[in-house]
Amino acid sequence: MSRYARFVWSVAAAVVVTAAVPVAARAGDGVGRYEAQELVWGPCDQEGALECASMTVPRDWRHPGVGADLTVEVSRHRAADPAKRRGVLMMAAGGPGASGLGRPAGFVAASPEVGAVYDVVSFDQRGVGASSRAVCQTDDQFRDFYAGDFRDRSPGALRGVVERSREFVRGCLAGGDLVRYLDTDQAVHDMDLFRELLGVRKISYYGPSYATWLGAYYATEFPQHVERAVLDSNLAFDGSWEQAELGQPMSFQRRFEQDFLPWIAKYDSVYHYGGTAAGAKATWEARRAALRERPLTVGSSTIGPNQLDNATIQGMYNAGLWPSLASVLASLEHWDTTTAAERQRAAKTFANYLSPGFNAVYFPVTCNDTPWNRDLGHWVRQSAADTEKYPLLGARELAYASVCAFWPASDAPHVKVTGKGLPPTLMLNSVHDPATYYEGALRAHRALKGSRLVTVAGGGDHGQYQNGNACVDSVVDAYLVEGKVPAHDLECAANSLPVPTS
């Protein structure tokens, strides 16, 4: 039995598997030829000091050798000070569906002390970008998926939403069986093969957003290979994707109403959007209703109510985006007299939301990872309630949940995160994070025994490290570089909110 297969066997007890045969028993000796490969490094396109290589992985780690192999593209930025090099820091992208390949370069530029002592490595998760890529939709189908008004609860509108979700699933499956092997457990095994091929026994890890789920699974399945881990803006990885996503309508609405609307109202002299939070909300809702009756054309994009939702949702992730979002919202109020620069900014804002490639990984992973309620009647009722209470994100709930309701059953294992066998893990979260809401992060913190939580109080940005917060950065840098573990959970004050430049 190969070293990798022996290790999989040794940690199988940490993983609760839904299928009848344990993962380790199914892995067998079929992994040997993957371990025997060598990574051939070369310059990444236009990435300066960043190197890239192609790694061959099994299509299905639970049945290695069955089906065509996949390629996972990997990258590295070598430690700036080889004499002080202390190991490998693996980082991953969020989503699921975002690209991680080019991230080490920006990471090292933002944290040179960390980059001096670590080889910082990353990858495009299977299905993403330069790796073996999943395809579910054309550009036109992607636009159709978000067309119309998700708040429309008429029978015809609901049927249309459900049918577009069904068509999305058909499109994914028509593109081949790759989407069936896009789940967090498969990605975890890809990561550990990468570690093996780098020739190191342990890695340190940094992951934001979905990459907290990915990192928690990796640490649970391969605790002996984790030296230090930073999980930034944590999903509720102690439960299911359905549970995690059901909390997001509340947290996005909270961020919008309690943080953004008071901020834009404070600068009514700049944006003329309403001098109170209630007044600004009324202006936003009136514009949304007007876009439903008469959508606008911005470049090649049609801007209707769902597109207004999407742009606003995107702007909730980080307060640094608020001045740009507010300027675009203000321009919609005098569209007939906007300048060329205002229209260009609006076009960029409305075009920059997700993509067919992102969705082609996001939905397979979230649908494959953990079970979903497949009762469409339940989702019609649940989405009606969330549309009423939390319309910003709740309105699209039926579209997203229906995809997983139609998704074929998966044999992905259920991984119970406990923290057993791990060194202290550092977790970061803001109290009003819209995407990885604090309540879920607290549950994840309790599940990951021995972890330390850094709470960013008074803010709601998504992604805390390298976000200009000196308190957070100093804690993380000391942990990664010097191994300093906070004695207990601690709190950092949030960044000051932005001030408009005009």
Side-chain angles (χ1 to χ4, degrees), residues 306-351:
N306 287 348
Q307 285 68 45
L308 181 65
D309 290 351
N310 289 345
T312 305
I313 288 167
Q314 180 175 291
M316 295 306 100
Y317 279 82
N318 193 292
L321 301 172
W322 290 358
S324 178
L325 172 63
S327 295
V328 170
L329 294 177
S331 71
L332 295 179
E333 298 306 303
H334 62 93
W335 190 250
D336 291 341
T337 60
T338 50
T339 65
E342 287 175 319
R343 291 195 174 224
Q344 184 178 26
R345 180 165 48 197
K348 182 179 180 181
T349 297
F350 286 110

Side-chain angles (χ1 to χ4, degrees), residues 239-257:
S240 70
W241 275 104
E242 180 179 315
Q243 293 166 335
E245 292 190 9
L246 276 173
Q248 289 182 330
M250 175 279 296
S251 53
F252 271 95
Q253 199 71 31
R254 175 172 64 191
R255 177 70 159 156
F256 178 55
E257 294 189 357

Side-chain angles (χ1 to χ4, degrees), residues 41 49-51 75-90 104-105 107-109 111-122 198 200 480-481:
W41 295 98
L50 200 60
E51 299 175 295
S75 62
R76 72 177 175 188
H77 188 289
R78 289 184 178 272
D81 189 345
K84 296 181 180 179
R85 180 184 178 275
R86 66 170 326 279
V88 170
L89 175 69
M90 186 178 293
F107 184 93
V108 169
S111 300
E113 290 184 9
V114 178
V117 298
Y118 283 101
D119 290 345
V120 180
V121 305
S122 191
L198 289 169
V200 296
L480 289 176
V481 176

